[in-house]
Amino acid sequence: MFSSLVTRVRNRPFTFAVLCGAVKDSSCDILMQSTGDAPHDWRRTGVFTVFGGTFVGAWQYVLFNVMLPRVSPMPANFFTLPIMKRFAHREGLKAVAVLTVLENAINQPFLHFPSLYFIKHKMEHFGTSTWSESMENAIRTTKEKFIPDNVASLALWVPATIINGLFVPLHFRVPFITLCGCLWTSFLSLDKGVPAIDSEPTPRVAIKVRKRTAEEIKSIDHGLDLIDNVDPAPRFKIRLRSLNDANQCEPSKELATSTSKSNQKSQIDVCLGIPRK
């Protein structure tokens, strides 16, 4: 079964890379959102799904499997050598060095972060922002957060890139980087996934309903019982006192203690000078 899976990956590496990137990034965001109490933001998950499929999967497949082998091809026998002999292979080490520099000095700072900020801004302002405005925002945000973003990136991706270049076969490079990126995507989800203040409202919001405890239900029922048992007579008595100031009418003791609404209305009519029918 495993050999069959490897064969399918080798036959459709681009499709596998796109699906792996999209599923990985969306799953990490869903997991990170589930740790909080806020309703799940599916647009935020959509941002990471699009980013994972387009940049992490599609673009990095082209970068590592198409462009890089042409710029700095890896020696054919490099991965067949014992691990210790690989460190003495000049051409192989050169290819790994080029991969490390390309990934961490070009791809991450100048392509990864701008792409993420662009997709995020466009999806959060889809009806109010043009493509050029989203691009300008992505470039501006990349400049503002350049140092902290790349310090965090270098701490993770330099060792991951070296391991990927020295030990991982060519057709497993993107999947390996994708799996290592679970930690990175989780960090991005927590650090950059929160929607911007001026973003459009999420079209559909899932509402979490907390189940009431037995004590809360009992307290609510007790409060409703107190409301139902309130004697309405004092309310009428207070009303007649205000009317008494204007009409010089003294409310009767019968009105203040009566619980009959018809009797209360009759007494009010008399106080206001309304003739009985």
Side-chain angles (χ1 to χ4, degrees), residues 20 157 159-161 163-165 168-169 172-181:
C20 190
W157 289 114
T161 306
I163 293 173
N164 192 40
V168 180
F172 275 127
R173 282 186 179 179
V174 170
F176 173 79
I177 288 293
T178 302
L179 295 176
C180 291

Side-chain angles (χ1 to χ4, degrees), residues 17 122 203 217 232 250 258:
K122 186 57 185 176
I217 295 175
E250 182 68 18
S258 174

